Amino acid sequence: MNWDWNVVEDFLPRFWDGVLVTLQALAAGALIAFVLGLVWALAQRSARVWVRRPVVAVTEFVRNTPLLVQLFFLFYVVPNFGPSMSPLTTGIVGLGLHYSTYTAEVYRAGIDGVPAGQWEAATALNLSRARTWRAVILPQAIRRVVPPLGNYVIAMLKDSPMIATIGAFDMLGEAQSFSNETFTTEALTVVGVAFIAVAYPASLLIRALERRLVR
């Protein structure tokens, strides 16, 4: 099969539309995952059983069910009982909620990695619990978890094509639609190269950041 640059040229407008959807889903989904993951991590350490146990149950359930099933549930089932969302919004919420359960474990590991002496020093200084978290524990924990969180951003990028199943056409969704209409494969190749072009430099950046934080 010969490569046809004219096909690539015809696909480019739809490709850029898909790139925009992918970046929107990735940026907003990562923001939700990072913020909500921290909430989950702090709630799991709560002394109140009625807070800790439901959060643990929810995060375990979300983490152990497929992302695709969660997207279908949010898009097709939730509107029967609550507000309906657009395909893109549903994809963002689904990605953010799913990956928040993983970032929660990253935050937990970072918090557990803070030396016990830091807690003791904060107690000796008579710092409140809230100030201890805000000024002593979280700054040290966040520094430790930046590289793992970056790895989850790359994982979210690779999982973002799943949102096409509910109608939010990202890069791959646009490529599949175009290929089905034109019976060509150039669009799929372009998208494959695009994913590599984004993910590989990002992985190198995360490695460099990790080395810098270690030093």
Side-chain angles (χ1 to χ4, degrees):
M1 182 179 297
N2 295 324
W3 180 266
D4 191 345
W5 286 105
N6 291 325
V7 173
V8 176
E9 185 177 357
D10 292 339
F11 170 63
L12 282 181
R14 295 174 63 171
F15 169 74
W16 292 117
D17 290 341
V19 169
L20 179 60
V21 171
T22 298
L23 293 179
Q24 288 176 327
L26 181 62
L31 180 61
I32 293 174
F34 292 165
V35 174
L36 192 56
L38 182 57
V39 173
W40 295 147
L42 295 178
Q44 288 175 357
R45 297 179 66 91
S46 173
R48 297 177 176 86
V49 176
W50 60 269
V51 172
R52 184 176 66 253
R53 288 185 177 177
V55 169
V56 171
V58 169
T59 54
E60 285 295 325
F61 176 80
V62 173
R63 187 163 54 244
N64 289 286
T65 53
L67 173 59
L68 187 59
V69 173
Q70 295 168 16
L71 290 173
F72 283 153
F73 181 84
L74 290 172
F75 192 68
Y76 294 110
V77 179
V78 169
N80 294 326
F81 306 96
S84 61
M85 297 179 289
S86 68
L88 178 57
T89 302
T90 303
I92 290 171
V93 172
L95 284 171
L97 177 61
H98 183 79
Y99 275 93
S100 70
T101 61
Y102 293 97
T103 59
E105 290 301 304
V106 174
Y107 285 125
R108 183 189 60 78
I111 292 171
D112 289 344
V114 176
Q118 299 294 308
W119 294 92
E120 296 168 357
T123 302
L125 292 172
N126 200 29
L127 296 181
S128 66
R129 185 172 178 82
R131 184 165 176 78
T132 299
W133 276 106
R134 185 174 64 253
V136 179
I137 304 303
L138 287 182
Q140 297 182 64
I142 296 299
R143 185 173 181 271
R144 297 168 182 268
V145 303
V146 168
L149 291 179
N151 290 330
Y152 278 119
V153 172
I154 296 177
M156 289 181 66
L157 173 65
K158 293 188 291 185
D159 277 347
S160 63
M162 289 190 186
I163 67 176
T165 59
I166 55 174
F169 279 10
D170 68 321
M171 291 190 293
L172 183 58
E174 292 286 3
Q176 288 177 321
S177 177
F178 183 85
S179 298
N180 292 336
E181 295 169 5
T182 59
F183 302 100
T184 57
T185 59
E186 282 84 352
L188 293 171
T189 304
V190 169
V191 169
V193 172
F195 271 107
I196 295 174
V198 174
Y200 184 65
S203 66
L204 295 179
L205 178 62
I206 291 170
R207 291 176 189 174
L209 179 61
E210 185 175 5
R211 290 193 295 268
R212 181 177 180 83
L213 290 176
V214 168
R215 290 198 300 269

